[in-house]
């Protein structure tokens, strides 16, 4: 009995600790045959789809591992009904029946016991056992020991099947999730295109703002999920323009006070459009609402200042302004890149967040120096040549505001 308990303990540890399924089965089988000193045997797993028993491990038989043995479904049901509590006579009779049908596979080796591996009345596999090393016949006590070990092995195989099914379902769910996420992103891009088509002067603006926001967020160390969220926010930041009068949006002149009041409705309108939607990313409605706020509190619609403005909105603010300044508008041509950076320098700390500005400058410099993929540069090269000429201005911006932030932290 002590020997049986020790074997059960070893078997339980083997089943729990071995990640390689077939290695677990081989080790478990060797523990089982060693428990009563059995000279030869095999363990086979039942494949219900193919109606076969596939031998995983064997001792004392030639050419048996990985062999497939056909088993009729009726026979499989019969073995399942016997369970692991069959009598010695039943185990011996099943072994004789099995040998009669598969003599060519096992050659001169004799199978004396067959133990079904059954869980929840379902055949998991079988253990085939030859003669004992002592030459003595099997006893009921031997069968009790072997049946106890076989039940452990059956549970181990079944647990592996269940984990495999869970993994398969998880993979299916992941594929479904990825499919839904792709549909969501494609829908968002379609919305962005619809927004920009309303304004014939800014087509592509929303997508570019999304891409600029992505570059800045990555430079700031945001996670992949957060970066994906800020990209979507960039695509949708102007969705509120869908309610703005078309004549205002497409006005060839600078906005009048009345036009400005009409246009200034779009951030709050965007929030109202996006808020009821369950987005896979946090704060997208807030980024749409607050992308015209300013660090000094002089923005709209809520007059937030500093850290009251969501971090994502501060990124979209800079990305939105950069694209506005580097593209043609009906009332002006795009600005020279040097003038854009001069404007940035003048308005960082009042309109723009210094930390966001520094991340933008670092990303820009890394692309110029060939240290990062050319995301900003590819978008700018449509309109600008010799972009590397702004390197001194970028370095100056970094010196001004990276240094100021470091001094603030130290103080």
């Amino acid at each position: 009995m002590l020997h049986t308990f020790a074997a059960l303990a070893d078997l339980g540890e083997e089943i729990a600790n071995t990640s390689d399924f077939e290695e677990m089965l081989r080790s478990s089988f060797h523990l089982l045959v060693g428990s009563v000193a059995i000279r030869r045997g095999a363990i086979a797993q039942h494949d219900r789809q193919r109606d076969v028993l596939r031998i995983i491990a064997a001792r004392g038989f030639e050419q048996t591992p990985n062999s497939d043995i056909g088993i009729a479904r009726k026979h499989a049901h019969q073995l399942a009904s016997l369970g692991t509590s069959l009598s010695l006579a039943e185990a011996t009779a099943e072994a004789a029946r099995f040998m009669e049908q598969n003599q060519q596979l096992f050659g001169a080796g004799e199978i004396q016991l067959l133990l079904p591996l059954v869980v929840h009345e379902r055949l998991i596999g079988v253990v085939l056992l030859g003669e004992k090393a002592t030459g003595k016949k099997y006893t009921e006590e031997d069968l009790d020991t072997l049946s106890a070990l076989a039940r452990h092995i059956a549970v181990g195989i079944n647990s592996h099947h269940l984990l495999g099914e869970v993994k398969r379902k998880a993979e299916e769910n992941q594929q479904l999730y990825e499919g839904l996420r792709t549909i969501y992103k494609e829908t968002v891009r379609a919305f962005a295109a619809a927004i920009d088509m309303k304004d014939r002067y800014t087509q592509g603006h929303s997508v570019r703002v999304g891409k600029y926001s992505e570059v800045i967020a990555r430079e700031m160390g945001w996670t992949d999920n957060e970066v994906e969220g800020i990209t979507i926010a960039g695509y949708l930041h102007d969705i509120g323009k869908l309610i703005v009068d078309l004549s205002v949006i497409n006005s060839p002149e600078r906005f009048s006070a009345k036009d400005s009041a009409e246009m200034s409705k779009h951030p709050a309108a965007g929030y109202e459009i996006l808020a009821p939607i369950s987005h896979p990313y946090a704060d997208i409605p807030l980024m749409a609402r607050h992308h015209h706020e300013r660090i000094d509190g002089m923005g709209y619609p809520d007059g937030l200042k500093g850290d009251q403005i969501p971090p994502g909105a501060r990124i979209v603010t800079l990305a939105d302004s950069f694209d506005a300044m580097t593209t043609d508008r009906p009332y002006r041509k795009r600005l020279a890149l040097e003038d854009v950076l001069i404007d940035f320098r003048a308005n960082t700390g009042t309109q723009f967040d210094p930390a966001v500005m520094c991340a933008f400058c670092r990303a820009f410099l890394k692309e110029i120096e060939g240290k990062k993929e050319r995301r900003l540069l590819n978008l700018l090269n449509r309109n600008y040549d010799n972009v590397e000429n702004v390197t001194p201005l970028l370095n100056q911006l970094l010196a001004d505001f990276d240094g100021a932030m470091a001094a603030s932290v130290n103080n």
Side-chain angles (χ1 to χ4, degrees):
M1 188 171 290
L2 284 172
H3 180 71
T4 301
F5 278 129
L8 282 168
D10 289 343
L11 182 56
E13 185 176 353
E14 186 65 40
I15 291 171
N17 292 339
T18 305
S19 57
D20 185 318
F21 172 63
E22 293 195 1
E23 178 61 28
M24 179 274 286
L25 278 186
R26 284 190 289 269
S27 299
S28 300
F29 168 70
H30 290 305
L31 282 169
L32 183 144
V33 295
S35 65
V36 291
I38 299 170
R39 189 183 298 278
R40 70 185 78 220
I43 186 168
Q45 182 183 358
H46 182 218
D47 185 337
R48 288 181 296 163
Q49 303 298 322
R50 298 168 53 222
D51 291 325
V52 297
L53 293 168
R54 186 168 73 92
I55 294 181
I56 304 297
R59 174 193 288 181
F61 297 114
E62 294 181 1
Q63 299 177 344
T64 47
N66 299 317
S67 299
D68 287 345
I69 304 169
I71 181 170
R73 292 193 179 185
K74 183 178 180 181
H75 188 194
H77 288 313
Q78 290 172 345
L79 289 175
S81 65
L82 289 174
T84 52
S85 301
L86 72 173
S87 67
L88 184 58
E90 289 170 327
T92 303
E94 285 297 333
R97 177 181 178 184
F98 190 85
M99 277 298 297
E100 183 180 344
Q101 295 173 348
N102 300 283
Q103 183 69 51
Q104 76 286 353
L105 183 64
F106 295 95
E110 183 184 1
I111 302 292
Q112 295 189 1
L113 291 181
L114 184 150
L115 305 179
L117 302 175
V118 178
V119 175
H120 301 312
E121 300 180 350
R122 184 163 65 88
L123 184 68
I124 303 297
V126 297
V127 176
L128 308 168
L129 301 173
E131 70 278 16
K132 295 167 66 174
T134 60
K136 295 181 180 179
K137 293 185 177 298
Y138 285 101
T139 65
E140 291 289 350
E141 289 79 7
D142 292 334
L143 184 63
D144 288 343
T145 298
L146 295 168
S147 295
L149 293 168
R151 280 191 288 272
H152 267 58
I153 294 173
V155 169
I157 296 174
N158 190 60
S159 297
H160 172 77
H161 286 165
L162 292 176
L163 287 172
E165 186 65 17
V166 168
K167 183 179 178 182
R168 187 180 66 80
K169 290 290 185 185
E171 288 172 351
E172 287 178 0
N173 289 338
Q174 180 65 25
Q175 290 173 357
L176 178 62
Y177 169 73
E178 292 295 341
L180 291 173
R181 190 164 71 168
T182 298
I183 292 169
Y184 172 79
K185 287 191 286 188
E186 289 175 351
T187 304
V188 167
R189 288 178 71 95
F191 265 112
I195 296 163
D196 291 344
M197 283 181 69
K198 190 172 183 182
D199 183 349
R200 65 176 179 268
Y201 299 110
T202 61
Q203 288 188 12
H205 167 71
S206 296
V207 171
R208 290 193 299 273
V209 170
K211 291 179 178 179
Y212 289 140
S213 298
E214 177 188 348
V215 170
I216 296 168
R218 283 201 187 282
E219 184 61 34
M220 295 183 77
W222 285 30
T223 65
D224 288 344
N225 196 59
E226 291 169 333
V227 168
E228 204 162 271
I230 192 72
T231 306
I232 297 298
Y235 291 163
L236 296 176
H237 76 286
D238 273 344
I239 195 170
K241 285 184 178 179
L242 292 174
I243 62 96
V244 176
D245 190 272
L246 194 61
S247 64
V248 173
I249 290 179
N250 286 315
S251 173
E253 307 295 334
R254 285 188 177 274
F255 291 151
S256 65
K258 181 181 177 182
D259 291 343
S260 292
E262 175 72 13
M263 184 63 82
S264 66
K265 295 176 183 178
H266 83 271
Y271 176 82
E272 295 301 325
I273 292 170
L274 295 172
I277 301 171
S278 180
H279 298 276
Y281 313 102
D283 296 339
I284 285 178
L286 289 176
M287 295 184 213
R289 182 180 184 90
H290 297 305
H291 75 277
H292 279 293
E293 304 286 0
R294 292 169 53 106
I295 294 297
D296 61 8
M298 301 301 291
Y300 62 90
D302 299 316
L304 303 183
K305 63 189 300 184
D307 290 343
Q308 293 175 331
I309 306 169
R314 287 178 250 160
I315 291 175
V316 174
T317 296
L318 180 59
D320 186 30
S321 297
F322 183 68
D323 189 68
M325 288 188 237
T326 55
T327 51
D328 292 336
R329 294 300 165 102
Y331 51 84
R332 63 150 175 81
K333 291 292 186 180
R334 63 182 177 272
L335 301 181
L337 205 50
E338 291 81 359
D339 292 337
V340 173
L341 296 178
I342 290 169
D343 182 281
F344 276 1
R345 188 177 180 193
N347 290 289
T348 298
T350 53
Q351 182 180 356
F352 305 117
D353 182 347
V356 174
M357 183 61 71
C358 289
F360 169 81
C361 292
R362 284 195 302 271
F364 208 148
L365 284 168
K366 287 176 182 177
E367 289 193 20
I368 290 173
E369 295 165 0
K371 295 178 180 178
K372 291 186 71 170
E373 181 186 353
R374 296 168 61 93
R375 303 293 302 282
L376 291 169
L377 298 185
N378 286 343
L379 290 168
L380 286 174
N381 280 343
R382 300 171 297 106
N383 299 325
Y384 293 95
D385 297 321
N386 303 318
V387 175
E388 64 277 2
N389 290 344
V390 299
T391 298
L393 285 171
L394 291 168
N395 282 318
Q396 186 61 55
L397 270 166
L398 277 176
D400 289 347
F401 296 106
D402 245 355
M405 287 190 295
S408 174
V409 170
N410 290 334
N411 290 334

